[in-house]
């Protein structure tokens, strides 16, 4: 078995290594300066006066989203500050439309104690009827167009 044969002609390998070496920077070339990266900034902290103003604004009706935008902090930070200072949180209530819907459903006898599934069933039924209606509108338009194109039609 001859071992030297594949390794006996090294001119191509030497040439490839020389090309790679030429691509390397010279040892005399100074090293480039390190890339300056911004350090992550600390979360914005509010001063005592700003916290008092935030609490007062919240008690006056501003939402945590509005306060976050106003003070340049996250909504969760606003909530944390309010909790830390013992401010009772408001829960988002129903919109006037939702209140009207709830009253209507209550008057129909659909209560929260089991009306949710009934409401979902009714919504599905309405959606199906709307699809059927859309189909019928398209079908009637199609047949009306076909009637016009028939020879001898008015």
């Amino acid at each position: 078995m001859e071992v030297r044969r594949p390794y006996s002609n090294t001119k191509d390998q030497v040439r490839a290594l020389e090309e790679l070496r030429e691509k390397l920077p010279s040892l005399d070339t100074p090293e480039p300066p390190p890339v300056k990266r911004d350090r992550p900034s600390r979360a914005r902290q509010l001063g005592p006066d700003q916290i008092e103003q935030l609490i007062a604004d919240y008690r006056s009706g501003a939402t945590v989203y509005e306060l976050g935008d106003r003070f340049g902090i996250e909504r969760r930070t606003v909530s944390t500050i309010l909790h830390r200072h013992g401010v009772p949180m408001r829960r988002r209530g129903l919109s006037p439309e939702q209140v009207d819907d709830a009253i209507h459903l209550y008057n129909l006898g659909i209560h929260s104690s089991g009306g949710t599934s009934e409401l979902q069933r009714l919504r599905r039924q309405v959606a199906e009827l709307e699809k059927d209606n859309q189909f019928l509108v398209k079908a009637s338009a199609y047949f009306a167009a076909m009637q016009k194109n028939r020879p001898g039609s008015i």
Side-chain angles (χ1 to χ4, degrees), residues 92-101:
R92 209 169 54 180
L94 298 176
S95 70
E97 294 166 350
Q98 290 171 323
V99 170
D100 291 341
D101 288 345

Side-chain angles (χ1 to χ4, degrees), residues 7-26:
Y7 302 105
S8 55
N9 189 359
T10 59
K11 289 180 186 176
D12 292 336
Q13 294 171 344
V14 170
R15 191 174 315 123
L17 285 172
E18 287 175 348
E19 288 174 8
L20 286 173
R21 192 187 75 193
E22 289 174 11
K23 292 179 183 179
L24 292 173
S26 169

